[in-house]
């Protein structure tokens, strides 16, 4: 139905039985231009859920070079020569360095200390030059930069330290005289030019050993020592987050659970363990980052706590539960190791909260913070796919923590998805165990977020509270921001259940990206806010203290049957397909292909390597992802699809698609997905996928499977080898018009928050009930084309503030197309 017809339907729908009629607002006769599309009714005398100050926060994980090369202000990459093939197959100890003359990285007893294993042996008359991150070391004219190095030269040596780029010097060179054993030497530069392509060079007159070569901007966030990059920290602070969750993420519960010591053979691929990350930076351990690079731990637990305090946020650390996740899925059964990690967690609480005279409080005080950090919440584990094994260990942690620190809120989790067997089992265990709070994570399509605004409406008000620790709608376009904003109205409405929420991930260096989307983007010279950031900031800066009950009319939808062609695909797997048959509900054949005559009925997306082999259609490229080929008519409906599938090799199983409209809109049955650990029905809408149904399961190599999919209306039933595997009905509307109202106790404002995630403006009748209100409202609007994306040089999604002077107990407001609008209305 055309969009104008849908609008007409909305207008016709506003009868005298609606929440608020246009006739009630306007003197008769009403004119055509006065007719409204929607109505919002507010009940200011009723009391909704209380919203905590910590409702919205941020989640920091060292992904996309978020720490080294990002928030951590260090300008030298691989400053301690610790890069290794354990971090990344392309790394060497001299990655990011260029040597002139004799320069060798050594690992022997002459090292700086046991935990800083490597150092540089620089020959007489030799030099090394560091390339920094991105295009190089960024310096700004007139700004000061602090250099330091640990050096050893038994017979003496003079180091010449210089900053330069291809055009020449960026600052006057400095000379440092080194004599004797290991000592720290310092110098300061003042940049004479601005450059994004700087290089730091260190040359020695005589042989010297060097380690921990560092260059920091003098100006860091709040000018803290070992500080943070100012523009990134300021962007995070501007959100006014209620909490900071750190340090992960997959960093927390992947790799070895051993420590960094001779006993573990200096294990590089370890879970993030807080004691590795405190104390003098030159004594902190190094580690292989799960995301494929090295993490120096220059940004460690002390800095996380300090940053949280600086921005007025609650610190919320996450510790490993000794069950790995993120595809590793292994439970550690070493009792001594478990006890050690439990004790480490108790020590962490003492480090954060203990008096300066306590063992770990003293360490904190020696680092410069004698006062406690006031830790109140702590997460154990992250996205474990083994819920029973996880929960058994979680209970051990919780018992020990509660025995010593009964006021600490200990947070469990529900696995990596919004639904499915792992989710259901984890939640059952959390409810039965009377857990304080459960951390949910999910990344879904914008359509899913528009469909699931009511997700928490039905949660048990007496059960564990929810921490939505990671969520995003799979993109940085404005349509993603709109969908997330619509969803956040549901989070606020359910603030009695959802106590904490944080978008994820937070930061991405544009030249080192492992995950998209991300909230704040940057390079070595600039940073910029994504459309998603602008949504988060608008909500986080205008939370309110309590929900004011309200309701709105909805958008009439026309939802016909599932229609579409059929498809075959693979993901990092080679598979053979045969005997494809599509039969309509009346028994007539729509498609029949045994591939004896080739594959002319199929259209390729251009990915993968498809060919006829042995009378089957085979995809042989085990590296290619989403190799879909399609056949049939996008108008097909009410049909049965049969496919015979055999896995040949690779990581996963089969992808059999139905309801295929185009390359970005389809359903598929993903059998043996997620590294051949589970099967699911996924729906793609405009390229973004969400999971409708999932179960554990794997696919055997070399075995032929009979796959049958029955589509009737919007009901789909799935059969595997003749047995029903599952069914679903895709009938949830993706409502584009969402709203919530909150009250700010400090200002007395009513905050009316409205999301109009559609390409037409929404003229809306607003009824504030018996509220006594001022005639003006302060308005903040985010509006843009749904495809708009903020970049370094162009930010189409930017807040616009204005004043609306037509406020009354009943008034009409037109919300722009593709917009998020907040009206702050003073109450008299």
């Amino acid at each position: 139905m055309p969009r104008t017809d849908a609008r007409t339907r909305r207008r016709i729908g506003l009868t005298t039985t609606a929440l608020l009629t246009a006739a009630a607002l306007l003197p008769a006769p009403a004119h055509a231009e006065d007719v409204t599309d929607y109505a919002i009714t507010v009940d200011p005398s009723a009391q909704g859920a209380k919203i905590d100050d910590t409702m919205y926060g941020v989640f920091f994980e060292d992904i996309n070079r978020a720490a080294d090369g990002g928030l951590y202000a260090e300008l030298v990459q691989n400053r301690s020569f610790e890069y290794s093939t354990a971090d990344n197959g392309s790394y060497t100890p001299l990655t990011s360095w260029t040597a002139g003359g004799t320069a060798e990285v050594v690992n022997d007893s002459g090292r700086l200390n046991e935990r800083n294993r490597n150092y540089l042996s620089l020959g007489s008359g030799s030099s090394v030059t560091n390339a920094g991150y991105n295009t190089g070391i960024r310096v700004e004219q007139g700004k000061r930069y602090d250099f330091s190095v640990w050096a050893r030269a038994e017979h003496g040596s003079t180091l010449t330290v210089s900053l330069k780029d291809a055009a020449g010097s960026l600052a006057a060179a400095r000379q440092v005289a080194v004599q004797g054993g290991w000592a720290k030497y310092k110098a300061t530069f003042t940049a004479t030019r601005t450059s994004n392509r700087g290089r730091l060079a260190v040359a020695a007159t005589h042989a010297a050993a060097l380690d921990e070569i560092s260059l920091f901007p003098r100006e860091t966030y709040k000018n803290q020592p070992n500080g943070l990059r100012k523009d990134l920290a300021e962007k995070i602070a501007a959100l006014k987050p209620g909490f900071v969750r750190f340090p992960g993420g997959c960093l927390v519960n992947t790799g070895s659970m051993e420590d960094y010591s001779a006993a573990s053979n200096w294990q590089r691929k370890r879970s993030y363990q807080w004691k590795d990350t405190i104390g003098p930076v030159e004594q902190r351990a190094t580690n292989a980052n799960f995301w494929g690079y090295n993490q120096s731990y220059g940004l460690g637990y002390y800095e996380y706590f300090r940053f949280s305090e600086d921005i007025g946020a609650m610190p919320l650390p996450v510790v490993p539960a000794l069950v790995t996740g993120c595809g590793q899925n292994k439970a550690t059964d070493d009792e001594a190791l478990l006890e050690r990690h439990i004790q480490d967690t108790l020590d962490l609480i003492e480090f954060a909260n203990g008096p300066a005279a306590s063992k770990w409080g003293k360490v904190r005080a020696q680092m410069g913070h004698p006062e406690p950090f006031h830790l109140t919440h702590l997460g154990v584990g992250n996205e474990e796919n083994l819920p029973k094994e996880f929960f058994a260990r979680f209970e051990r942690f919780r018992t020990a923590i509660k025995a010593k620190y009964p006021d600490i809120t200990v947070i469990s989790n529900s696995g990596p998805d919004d639904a499915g067997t792992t989710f259901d089992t984890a939640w059952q265990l959390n409810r039965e165990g009377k857990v304080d709070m459960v951390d949910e994570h999910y990344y879904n399509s914008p359509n899913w977020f528009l469909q699931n605004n009511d997700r928490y409406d039905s949660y048990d008000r007496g059960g564990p509270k929810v921490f939505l620790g990671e969520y995003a709608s799979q993109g940085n376009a404005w349509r993603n921001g709109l969908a997330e904003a619509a969803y956040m109205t549901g989070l606020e409405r359910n603030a009695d259940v959802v106590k904490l929420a944080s978008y994820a991930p937070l930061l991405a260096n544009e030249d080192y990206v492992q995950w998209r989307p991300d909230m704040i983007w940057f390079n070595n010279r600039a940073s910029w806010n994504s459309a998603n950031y602008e949504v988060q900031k608008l909500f986080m800066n205008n939370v309110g203290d309590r929900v004011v009950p309200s309701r709105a009319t909805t958008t009439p939808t026309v939802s016909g049957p599932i229609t579409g062609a059929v498809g075959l695909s693979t993901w990092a797997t080679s598979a053979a397909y045969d005997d494809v048959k599509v039969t309509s509900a009346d028994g007539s054949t729509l498609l029949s292909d045994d591939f004896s005559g080739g594959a002319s009925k199929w259209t390729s997306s251009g990915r993968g390597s498809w060919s006829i082999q042995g009378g089957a259609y085979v995809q042989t490229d085990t590296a290619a992802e989403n190799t879909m080929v399609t056949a049939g008519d996008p108008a097909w409906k009410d049909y049965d699809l049969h496919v015979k599938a055999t896995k040949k090799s690779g990581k996963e199983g089969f992808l059999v698609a139905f309801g295929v409209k185009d390359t970005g809109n389809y359903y598929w049955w993903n059998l043996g997905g997620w590294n051949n650990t589970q099967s699911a029905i996924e729906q793609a809408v405009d390229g973004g996928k969400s999971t409708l149904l999932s179960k554990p399961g794997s696919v055997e190599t070399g075995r032929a499977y009979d796959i049958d999919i029955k589509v009737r209306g919007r009901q789909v039933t799935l059969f595997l080898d003749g047995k029903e595997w599952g069914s679903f009905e895709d009938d949830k509307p993706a409502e584009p018009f969402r709203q919530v109202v909150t009250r700010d106790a400090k200002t007395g404002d009513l905050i009316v928050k409205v999301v109009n995630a559609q390409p037409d403006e929404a003229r809306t009748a607003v009824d504030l009930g018996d509220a006594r209100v001022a005639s003006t409202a302060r308005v903040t609007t985010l509006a843009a084309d749904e495809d708009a994306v903020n970049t370094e040089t162009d930010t189409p999604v930017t807040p616009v503030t204005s004043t609306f002077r037509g406020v009354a107990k009943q008034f009409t407001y037109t919300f722009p197309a593709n917009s998020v609008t907040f009206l702050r209305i003073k109450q008299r």
Side-chain angles (χ1 to χ4, degrees), residues 477-479 783-789 797 818:
W478 181 226
R479 68 164 56 85
D785 182 86
E786 66 175 2
D787 295 321
V789 176
V797 182
N818 297 320

Side-chain angles (χ1 to χ4, degrees), residues 98-115:
T98 301
T102 304
E104 179 185 6
V105 175
V106 181
N107 180 349
D108 64 16
S109 59
R111 64 179 66 88
L112 178 59
N113 60 67
E114 281 294 285
R115 290 164 70 80

Side-chain angles (χ1 to χ4, degrees), residues 471-516:
Y471 73 99
S473 71
Q474 300 175 338
N476 279 139
W478 181 226
R479 68 164 56 85
N480 302 96
L482 285 167
E484 289 155 6
Y487 194 70
M488 292 171 80
T489 66
L491 300 182
E492 291 193 3
R493 188 176 65 251
N494 289 283
D496 57 328
V497 168
V498 183
K499 306 305 289 184
L500 307 169
S502 50
Y503 177 100
L506 180 62
L507 295 171
N509 186 320
E510 66 173 353
D511 292 334
Y512 308 91
V513 180
Q514 292 85 43
W515 185 277
R516 297 172 188 268

Side-chain angles (χ1 to χ4, degrees), residues 478 529-531 534 780-784 790 794-801 820:
W478 181 226
N529 304 334
S530 68
E534 295 297 352
T780 306
T781 305
L782 294 168
N790 285 356
D794 184 30
T795 53
V797 182
T798 301
V800 175
T801 58
V820 180

Side-chain angles (χ1 to χ4, degrees), residues 15 73 115 145 152 223 285 599 655-656:
T15 66
R115 290 164 70 80
Y145 297 85
R152 170 170 57 81
N223 296 319
L655 295 164
V656 179

Side-chain angles (χ1 to χ4, degrees), residues 384-401:
E384 283 74 19
N385 258 316
L386 302 172
K388 293 179 181 178
E389 292 85 344
F390 161 74
F391 197 76
R393 288 156 181 78
F394 169 84
E395 286 196 301
R396 295 278 300 277
F397 278 84
R398 182 176 60 163
T399 298
I401 293 168

